[in-house]
Amino acid sequence: MPLVPVSEVEDVADRVLAAAGVPPENAVLQRDLLLDAEMRSIASHGLLRLPRIVERIGNGVANPLTKGRHSWTAPGFLKVDGEQGLGPVVAQAAIDALLERAKTQGVAVAAVANANHIGMLGFYADRVAKSGKCLIAFSTSEALVHPWGGRRAMIGTNPIAIGLPTGYGIFMMDTATSIVSMGEIHDHANRGASIPLGWALDAAGDATTDAAAARNGAIAPFGGAKGYALGLAFELLLTALAGSAIGREVAGTLDSTQPCTKADLFIVIDQPLAAVSDFVALLREEAPAEGFSAVRIPGERGRDLRRQALESGINIADVTWSRLQDLAGTAKTTED
Amino acid sequence: MPLVPVSEVEDVADRVLAAAGVPPENAVLQRDLLLDAEMRSIASHGLLRLPRIVERIGNGVANPLTKGRHSWTAPGFLKVDGEQGLGPVVAQAAIDALLERAKTQGVAVAAVANANHIGMLGFYADRVAKSGKCLIAFSTSEALVHPWGGRRAMIGTNPIAIGLPTGYGIFMMDTATSIVSMGEIHDHANRGASIPLGWALDAAGDATTDAAAARNGAIAPFGGAKGYALGLAFELLLTALAGSAIGREVAGTLDSTQPCTKADLFIVIDQPLAAVSDFVALLREEAPAEGFSAVRIPGERGRDLRRQALESGINIADVTWSRLQDLAGTAKTTED
C-alpha cells in the first residue's frame, strides 16, 4: 500500500462520482465524508464504500441530486424526507438548516428518514463544533447487534457522536453501540484471524471466536446490558421520531439494491459555552495505568492521523484504490 | 427486613421532610423520587439518601423552598440556576417548563447548575414518557470514574436516561457511564465480598478485587474506551452549557456540607411518534442465549418490582428504616 497524495484520491473520487451523475456540490460532501474516515484510519467507513454508492445510484436506490425535502413541524423541529438522497448530502443540508434555526431558537432538532448511509457521524460533529456550536448525532442501521441475552441480530449498530468547542480546540467523540463494527469482523475473517470471545455469536446464536462464523451471526452490544439499553433506546427514539423501519426490517445500509430505511437524528445547540479546555489538558497529563502509554482524549488519534495523511498521503488499501481507479478510468472513457 | 407498606414509608418520609422545613409540594417530589428508586430495588438512589438531604438542609447547602431561577436565553433554551434547591424540585420545575414550551417549539432544552442531586434519572424519563413526550436526560456527578487508561477518578458517573411512549406502554432506560455505582462497591465492601477484576482501581491506580480498597480508588467506565468517551462527552457538554464545575472540582453529591456543583441537562421533544410497540414485543419473544432465561427490555424489571412493592410493601434495609423512623420521631417531638 503506497501513500497516495490526498489531492490524487480526491481527484479519482470526484471523477467516479461525476461519472455516476453526482453534481459537484454533492460529490464534494460524499467524497469528503469518505476521505475523512479513510484519513482517520476508519477504513470500514472510508473509500471502500464508494463503489457500492455508485452501484446504488445505478440501481435507482440512491438519488444523486436531492438534498431531501424539509418540513418544519414546529419552530424547533425539522422532519426530513431524504428522498433516497446521498447520506452526507441529506445530512449536511439538514444540519445547515438546524444551524441557521438554532441561531434564534437556541436548539433545533432534525429527524431524517429515507436518506442513504450518512457514514461516520464524527464528520458532522467535527464540522458543527468547528463552527462553535454543539451537535449530538444518532443513526440506526441494519440489524447487526444481538439484544443482551439474545441470539439473533435485532438492533442496529446505532452510533452516537457528540461534538463541541472546548475553548482552544474541538472535542469530538463518535462510537457505535456495538462492541466492534461488522467491518472489523470481516477484516478478521479475511486475515484468517480469530476474534475474542464476547465479540459475536454465530448463526445459531452461540458464542464464537470464529470470525467467518460471526459474519453470519450477530455482534455483541458494547458494555453488555448497558450498551444494549443505549442501542435499543436510540433505535426506538429515532424510529418513532423519523417514522422509519426498525430492527430486522431496516435495509439498504449494506447492500446495493434496497432503498435505505434507517433513521438519523441531529440535535444542534447554539448557546454561549463555558470553556472546558483546562479539563481536557488536565486529562492528557494524567498518569497512565499499567499497560497504557498515555490517557487519550477521544477523537485525538483520528485527528493526528488525519493531519499526517494530509501531509504525507493516504494509506489506502490496494484493492480499494485499484477499484476506484478502474471506476474513474471507465468514467474517463465514457466522457471521451 | 420486613415488608413495609408504601403508605407507611411515605408517611415517615413526609414527616422527616416536613420537620426539615420542606413545604408539602416539594416534599412529595423528593419523597416520590427516593421511593421510586427504593421500589425498583435501586437502594443506592433510595431512602438511604434522605438523612443526608436533611443534613444538607440543616447545613444550609440545600434550600428546601426554591424551585430554581429560570432564564429563557432563547425560545427553546432554558438556563436554570438551581439556587441549591432540592434536586427533584428543581429538575421537575425545569422539565415542566420544557413540556409547556415544547408544545409550541417541538423541542426545548434546559441546562441546570447549582441544584442538589436529582437522583435516578429514569424517574423523570418515566414521567415525561407517561405524558406522551420524549425525554433525554443527563447528569454529571463528583469524579468517581477513571479515564480509560488512567489511574485516578477524574470523571463523574454521568448517567443518561431516555424515555418515550411506544404505543402501548412506555420505554425507559437509565444507565450510568460507570461499570457499577460506588454504592455497589460499598455494598461489596460492607459484606466483605471481593469485586470482579475490571470494576475498579485502588488509591494507587492499580487494578484491584478488594472492594474496601476500591472505595478510595476509581470505578471503571462501562465498556472500556467507548464508555469513557461517552462519559467524558457528557461531562464536557453539560459543564459547557450549564457553566458548572468539572472533574475533581465537582462537589456536593455525596457529602453533607458542600454546595452541589454538578450539572444536569434535559431535552424534551414533543412530536407525533410512530408506534414502535410491535418491536418491543418481538424482542421479548426472542430465544434467550445460553445462561439467560429471557431477553429483557430495559426498565421492565424495575417496573415489575415497583408494582410488587405497591402491592406487598417495600423491602427497605433495617438500618435505613430505623434511621428514618428516628428522624420522623424527633420530628414529632419537635412539633409537640
Side-chain angles (χ1 to χ4, degrees):
Chain A
M1 299 205 287
L3 292 177
V4 186
V6 170
S7 60
E8 194 176 331
V9 180
E10 283 178 345
D11 179 57
V12 166
D14 286 350
R15 283 199 280 135
V16 171
L17 286 161
V22 184
E25 189 194 7
N26 294 351
V28 77
L29 267 169
Q30 183 67 68
R31 168 255 269 178
D32 279 355
L33 171 79
L34 300 177
L35 210 68
D36 200 55
E38 195 75 40
M39 290 193 287
R40 289 173 199 261
S41 272
I42 307 170
S44 62
H45 285 61
L47 289 158
L48 73 79
R49 291 195 179 241
L50 188 49
R52 197 187 302 132
I53 290 166
V54 169
E55 282 169 30
R56 290 183 64 80
I57 294 171
N59 290 334
V61 289
N63 176 344
L65 304 178
T66 185
K67 295 183 196 305
R69 196 159 43 80
H70 288 192
S71 321
W72 287 95
T73 58
F77 200 91
L78 176 65
K79 200 97 186 262
V80 179
D81 176 352
E83 300 182 312
Q84 299 301 330
L86 297 176
V89 174
V90 174
Q92 193 59 52
I95 290 169
D96 286 344
L98 297 183
L99 283 168
E100 186 58 33
R101 185 57 62 101
K103 277 185 197 167
T104 52
Q105 294 294 318
V107 57
V109 175
V112 182
N114 307 320
N116 274 279
H117 193 263
I118 70 169
M120 187 182 65
L121 292 185
F123 176 73
Y124 310 99
D126 209 64
R127 286 164 76 108
V128 170
K130 274 177 187 146
S131 77
K133 318 303 176 206
C134 307
L135 178 71
I136 312 177
F138 309 85
S139 272
T140 63
S141 81
E142 285 179 50
L144 291 171
V145 178
H146 64 77
W148 187 240
R151 288 186 171 273
R152 288 199 303 168
M154 291 292 285
I155 297 170
T157 52
N158 301 359
I160 178 173
I162 295 178
L164 73 155
T166 67
Y168 70 81
I170 68 131
F171 172 84
M172 182 274 278
M173 61 79 60
D174 174 358
T175 182
T177 50
S178 55
I179 197 164
V180 285
S181 67
M182 189 48 97
E184 203 150 344
I185 303 275
H186 277 272
D187 183 48
H188 278 70
N190 294 344
R191 289 186 289 109
S194 64
I195 54 171
L197 200 66
W199 272 22
L201 307 176
D202 63 19
D206 293 314
T208 185
T209 58
D210 178 352
R215 283 183 305 194
N216 306 312
I219 313 170
F222 94 94
K226 286 173 179 255
Y228 159 53
L230 266 185
L232 176 56
F234 297 167
E235 182 115 11
L236 292 171
L237 181 67
L238 270 65
T239 306
L241 286 169
S244 51
I246 195 164
R248 296 174 71 91
E249 289 170 8
V250 179
T253 61
L254 298 167
D255 61 76
S256 303
T257 55
Q258 298 182 79
C260 191
T261 58
K262 51 82 192 132
D264 311 296
L265 186 73
F266 304 111
I267 302 173
V268 168
I269 301 176
D270 183 345
Q271 283 289 298
L273 298 172
V276 287
S277 50
D278 288 355
F279 184 64
V280 175
L282 275 181
L283 273 182
R284 216 184 266 117
E285 286 160 17
E286 280 292 293
E290 211 182 309
F292 291 84
S293 60
V295 170
R296 313 206 67 127
I297 309 301
E300 288 199 335
R301 187 173 158 269
R303 207 167 299 136
D304 290 346
L305 288 168
R306 186 176 188 279
R307 193 163 27 232
Q308 270 174 39
L310 285 169
E311 284 167 14
S312 321
I314 299 183
N315 197 357
I316 187 169
D318 283 337
V319 55
T320 304
W321 185 229
S322 324
R323 184 78 204 282
L324 292 184
Q325 286 176 303
D326 280 355
L327 284 170
T330 308
K332 238 169 140 185
T333 317
T334 317
E335 277 167 9
D336 290 343
Chain B
M1 300 205 287
L3 291 177
V4 187
V6 170
S7 59
E8 196 176 329
V9 180
E10 284 178 344
D11 180 56
V12 166
D14 286 350
R15 284 200 281 137
V16 171
L17 286 161
V22 184
E25 188 193 7
N26 292 352
V28 76
L29 266 170
Q30 182 67 67
R31 169 256 269 177
D32 279 355
L33 170 79
L34 300 178
L35 211 68
D36 200 57
E38 196 74 42
M39 292 194 287
R40 290 174 199 259
S41 271
I42 306 169
S44 62
H45 285 60
L47 290 156
L48 72 78
R49 292 196 177 239
L50 188 48
R52 196 186 302 134
I53 291 166
V54 170
E55 284 170 29
R56 292 183 61 81
I57 294 170
N59 291 333
V61 290
N63 176 345
L65 304 178
T66 185
K67 295 185 197 303
R69 195 160 44 80
H70 287 191
S71 321
W72 287 95
T73 57
F77 200 91
L78 176 65
K79 200 98 185 258
V80 179
D81 177 352
E83 301 181 310
Q84 298 301 330
L86 297 175
V89 174
V90 175
Q92 192 59 52
I95 290 170
D96 286 345
L98 296 184
L99 283 167
E100 187 57 34
R101 185 58 61 100
K103 276 184 198 169
T104 51
Q105 293 295 319
V107 59
V109 175
V112 183
N114 307 321
N116 273 278
H117 194 262
I118 70 168
M120 186 182 67
L121 292 185
F123 176 73
Y124 311 98
D126 209 62
R127 286 165 76 108
V128 170
K130 274 178 186 142
S131 77
K133 318 303 176 209
C134 307
L135 179 71
I136 312 177
F138 311 84
S139 272
T140 64
S141 80
E142 285 178 51
L144 292 170
V145 178
H146 64 77
W148 188 240
R151 290 187 169 271
R152 289 198 305 167
M154 291 291 286
I155 297 171
T157 53
N158 302 0
I160 177 173
I162 295 178
L164 73 155
T166 67
Y168 71 82
I170 66 131
F171 172 85
M172 181 274 277
M173 62 76 62
D174 174 358
T175 184
T177 49
S178 55
I179 197 165
V180 285
S181 66
M182 189 48 97
E184 203 150 344
I185 303 276
H186 278 272
D187 184 49
H188 278 70
N190 294 343
R191 291 187 287 109
S194 64
I195 54 171
L197 199 67
W199 273 22
L201 307 177
D202 62 20
D206 293 313
T208 185
T209 59
D210 178 352
R215 282 183 306 195
N216 305 314
I219 314 170
F222 94 95
K226 286 173 179 255
Y228 159 53
L230 266 185
L232 175 57
F234 297 167
E235 183 116 8
L236 293 171
L237 182 67
L238 270 65
T239 305
L241 286 169
S244 51
I246 196 165
R248 295 173 74 92
E249 290 170 8
V250 179
T253 63
L254 299 167
D255 61 77
S256 302
T257 55
Q258 298 181 79
C260 191
T261 57
K262 51 84 193 128
D264 311 296
L265 186 74
F266 304 112
I267 302 173
V268 168
I269 301 176
D270 184 345
Q271 282 290 298
L273 297 171
V276 287
S277 50
D278 288 355
F279 184 64
V280 176
L282 275 180
L283 273 183
R284 218 186 263 116
E285 288 162 15
E286 279 293 292
E290 211 180 312
F292 291 83
S293 59
V295 171
R296 313 206 67 127
I297 309 300
E300 288 199 334
R301 185 172 160 271
R303 209 167 295 137
D304 291 346
L305 289 168
R306 187 175 187 279
R307 194 162 28 230
Q308 269 173 40
L310 285 169
E311 284 167 14
S312 321
I314 299 185
N315 197 359
I316 186 169
D318 283 337
V319 56
T320 304
W321 186 228
S322 325
R323 182 80 203 281
L324 292 184
Q325 285 177 306
D326 281 354
L327 284 171
T330 309
K332 239 168 140 185
T333 317
T334 320
E335 277 166 9
D336 291 344

